[in-house]
Amino acid sequence: MTGATLRAQHVRPGDLFAALPGTRVHGADFAPTALDSGAVAVLTDQAGIDRAALAEHPAVRSGQVSLLVHEDPRRVLGAASALIYGDPSSKLRVLGVTGTSGKTTTTYLLESALQAAGFCTGLVGTVETRIAGDRLDSAFTTPEAPDLQALLAVMVEHGVTFVPMEVSSHALAMGRVSGTHFAVGAFTNLSQDHLDFHRDMEDYFQAKALLFDGRAEHEVVCVDTDWGQRLVGPGTVTVSTAGDAAWTAADVRAHPTGEQTFTAHGPDGLTMPVRLRLPGAFNIANALLAIGVLHAAGVPAWAIERGLAEVDVPGRMERVALGQDFTAVVDYSHKPGAVAAVLDAARAQVDGKVIVVLGCGGDRDVAKRPLMGAEAARRSAVLIVTDDNPRSEDPADIRAAMLAGAREVPADQRGEVLEIGDRRAAIAAAVERAEPGDIVVVAGKGHETGQEVAGVVHPFSDREELAAALRHRLGGQEPTPQETVVRRGQGDEEAR
């Protein structure tokens, strides 16, 4: 076999077609497309074998195609794909990062330090995939198993040696990283998210915990929360911004530029001066985790120091500065804990007001909507509740849930709460309200370049819209329409 895929339309001659059971249809129903395109084997379950589309196909009836049957084909698809593609992760040092928030930032910190040390790197994550410097858009935080193994094989061909990878709970629960060898597995934190996919927080945690079931050679865990403490076992490298751990931070200083400096203290008396371009206490935790991972992977301290000092992360507390006399940032925070952390960081940066634009995505965890509204309301002088990606839901219903949470905060503990459904207008209103020394935070979508409404993805970039609103305020120019071409599902299916 020359390749593997679970999408019948992507089959090429010599491929394995994985016909997986789904919630609405069975992959075996698409077997004719795969077989007519040259699939030489089909991996499925007994229900798939019994589907007429597969069982009655001439290639199957004549014995020209191998049928592989497993009670849970998804569970073994990763290992099968790894075998087909030559077990590429065994030739790489894969650094897996899981957790609710901080995965993207941590992988960018890892990549920068590895490049400073002279290594050829790959990157797999929410914003993008990179192979030796070449950029690809990401459809999922962590690709499906056959796609991941094919991607890792291409990285091997291009001379990549280290691969920082975001590992989502979906990927762990659905076996997408089965068959992948991890040099290091790392954990950031856990807060409410994805309860549309997981039964409850414990189920969510158990999915994350799969990265620490022995599949990683080294394990590095942030123990600032009880969730992280539960993952600690013999040999675990711990990091903490607040307590005892193998890696801790001291002398933390926030600078007016938004930069931060601190001293990292590690095992055997090792100390390391660290400078970050990224604001917020949560980024101290992300940096410490990255340091722990890099040290475990054998990266020298000088490269870690240099690499961490050079990182900017798209859509993560990303400044948009056009000469205005207030701060304006775009951030991807889209769950209660992340919203709270980002706004705490924003409040620490400026002496003026915090003005927030925030929405919630549709067809996702509905319980977090009032929580997000409440967290934003109690940390801002002005909260503008707007639309995010409503998807198939009524945007007004989503906003109403957020507003309900915001208004449960006592009036003397929150600022002004407004509702402006049109996101472009909401951003413009926030910019118009800003005064010297204030900070405008446009939260929720970060790096995304589209807004999904009723099944259609419309071009929309918070960064571009914020810049347009700033230009209008500074020069009286009308904001210009977006011209970005958007691919459906660009990097938000699991992360959001």
Side-chain angles (χ1 to χ4, degrees), residues 67 154 205 286 457 468 471:
L67 298 180
V154 172
F205 170 74
N286 292 334
V457 179
R471 285 195 299 270

Side-chain angles (χ1 to χ4, degrees), residues 10-273:
H10 292 173
V11 167
R12 295 182 178 180
D15 278 357
L16 165 73
F17 172 54
L20 306 182
T23 55
R24 291 189 294 261
V25 296
H26 198 291
D29 293 336
F30 303 96
T33 299
L35 296 171
D36 292 345
S37 297
V40 296
V42 177
L43 170 65
T44 190
D45 58 6
Q46 188 59 51
I49 290 292
D50 294 338
R51 307 291 276 212
L54 176 61
E56 298 178 7
H57 192 277
V60 174
R61 298 183 68 177
S62 64
Q64 298 175 21
V65 173
S66 298
L67 298 180
L68 310 175
V69 185
H70 192 278
E71 62 182 3
D72 185 1
R74 182 177 282 279
R75 182 158 59 88
V76 298
L77 179 57
S81 300
L83 181 64
I84 290 168
Y85 287 106
D87 196 16
S89 63
S90 67
K91 305 175 182 70
L92 300 164
R93 301 279 284 169
V94 180
L95 312 178
V97 182
T98 197
T100 303
S101 301
K103 297 187 296 296
T104 297
T105 297
T106 302
T107 54
Y108 272 67
L109 292 167
L110 294 173
E111 181 192 43
S112 183
L114 291 165
Q115 290 176 345
F119 294 109
C120 182
T121 63
L123 179 76
V124 181
T126 304
V127 178
E128 61 188 344
T129 295
R130 285 204 287 261
I131 304 174
D134 292 331
R135 181 186 184 280
L136 306 171
D137 288 336
S138 291
F140 295 113
T141 299
T142 314
E144 291 282 5
D147 301 329
L148 176 60
Q149 297 303 323
L151 177 63
L152 295 176
V154 172
M155 290 184 179
V156 171
E157 292 176 355
H158 283 73
V160 168
T161 52
F162 277 90
V163 184
M165 178 194 297
E166 294 184 50
V167 185
S168 69
S169 61
H170 293 67
L172 288 158
M174 299 173 72
R176 292 181 192 167
V177 293
S178 299
T180 302
H181 307 279
F182 290 92
V184 184
F187 176 82
T188 60
N189 51 62
L190 199 77
S191 62
Q192 182 169 330
D193 200 19
H194 301 311
L195 297 190
D196 54 322
F197 180 80
H198 300 286
R199 292 190 304 275
D200 50 32
M201 287 296 294
E202 181 63 25
D203 184 58
Y204 183 28
F205 170 74
Q206 291 299 332
K208 295 290 191 185
L210 291 172
L211 186 59
F212 306 91
D213 63 1
R215 71 182 73 194
E217 296 172 32
H218 303 280
E219 297 176 355
V220 183
V221 173
C222 180
V223 293
D224 283 344
T225 66
D226 292 342
W227 300 111
Q229 293 168 20
R230 289 177 59 182
L231 292 173
V232 176
T236 302
V237 177
T238 57
V239 307
S240 176
T241 61
D244 293 333
W247 285 97
T248 59
D251 307 316
V252 177
R253 291 185 57 200
H255 300 271
T257 59
E259 291 185 324
Q260 300 185 90
T261 55
F262 68 95
T263 301
H265 293 273
D268 302 321
L270 178 63
T271 62
M272 190 182 307

Side-chain angles (χ1 to χ4, degrees), residues 154-467:
V154 172
M155 290 184 179
V156 171
E157 292 176 355
H158 283 73
V160 168
T161 52
F162 277 90
V163 184
M165 178 194 297
E166 294 184 50
V167 185
S168 69
S169 61
H170 293 67
L172 288 158
M174 299 173 72
R176 292 181 192 167
V177 293
S178 299
T180 302
H181 307 279
F182 290 92
V184 184
F187 176 82
T188 60
N189 51 62
L190 199 77
S191 62
Q192 182 169 330
D193 200 19
H194 301 311
L195 297 190
D196 54 322
F197 180 80
H198 300 286
R199 292 190 304 275
D200 50 32
M201 287 296 294
E202 181 63 25
D203 184 58
Y204 183 28
F205 170 74
Q206 291 299 332
K208 295 290 191 185
L210 291 172
L211 186 59
F212 306 91
D213 63 1
R215 71 182 73 194
E217 296 172 32
H218 303 280
E219 297 176 355
V220 183
V221 173
C222 180
V223 293
D224 283 344
T225 66
D226 292 342
W227 300 111
Q229 293 168 20
R230 289 177 59 182
L231 292 173
V232 176
T236 302
V237 177
T238 57
V239 307
S240 176
T241 61
D244 293 333
W247 285 97
T248 59
D251 307 316
V252 177
R253 291 185 57 200
H255 300 271
T257 59
E259 291 185 324
Q260 300 185 90
T261 55
F262 68 95
T263 301
H265 293 273
D268 302 321
L270 178 63
T271 62
M272 190 182 307
V274 180
R275 176 175 291 274
L276 290 177
R277 294 178 181 175
L278 310 172
F282 56 94
N283 278 319
I284 302 295
N286 292 334
L288 272 180
L289 188 70
I291 291 168
V293 171
L294 292 161
H295 183 259
V299 178
W302 64 265
I304 298 174
E305 294 172 28
R306 180 183 300 175
L308 267 56
E310 298 174 349
V311 176
D312 294 303
V313 185
R316 273 67 176 175
M317 289 298 281
E318 183 178 1
R319 288 175 177 253
V320 180
L322 300 182
Q324 76 274 12
D325 54 7
F326 57 91
T327 303
V329 300
V330 168
D331 192 80
Y332 191 51
S333 47
H334 54 270
K335 43 244 177 188
V339 169
V342 163
L343 296 185
D344 284 343
R347 293 173 73 184
Q349 277 188 253
V350 300
D351 295 325
K353 303 188 302 296
V354 177
I355 303 171
V356 183
V357 177
L358 181 67
C360 285
D363 302 335
R364 298 294 186 269
D365 181 4
V366 298
K368 71 180 183 182
R369 295 169 185 174
L371 301 178
M372 287 174 61
E375 296 288 11
R378 65 170 52 99
R379 288 172 170 80
S380 59
V382 180
L383 166 61
I384 302 176
V385 174
T386 189
D387 294 343
D388 189 292
N389 291 312
R391 299 186 176 90
S392 70
E393 290 193 60
D394 184 340
D397 291 342
I398 300 173
R399 298 195 304 270
M402 293 185 65
L403 289 165
R407 288 167 179 157
E408 285 182 0
V409 179
D412 61 347
Q413 297 177 27
R414 59 172 165 85
E416 183 180 7
V417 179
L418 305 174
E419 179 182 11
I420 302 176
D422 183 279
R423 194 172 181 90
R424 179 178 287 114
I427 293 170
V431 167
E432 286 304 312
R433 282 176 168 263
E435 298 176 339
D438 290 350
I439 183 168
V440 172
V441 180
V442 181
K445 291 176 62 59
H447 62 281
E448 293 177 8
T449 54
Q451 184 179 38
E452 184 175 346
V453 182
V456 178
V457 179
H458 304 270
F460 196 98
S461 163
D462 278 356
R463 290 177 290 189
E464 293 180 18
E465 291 295 343
L466 183 53

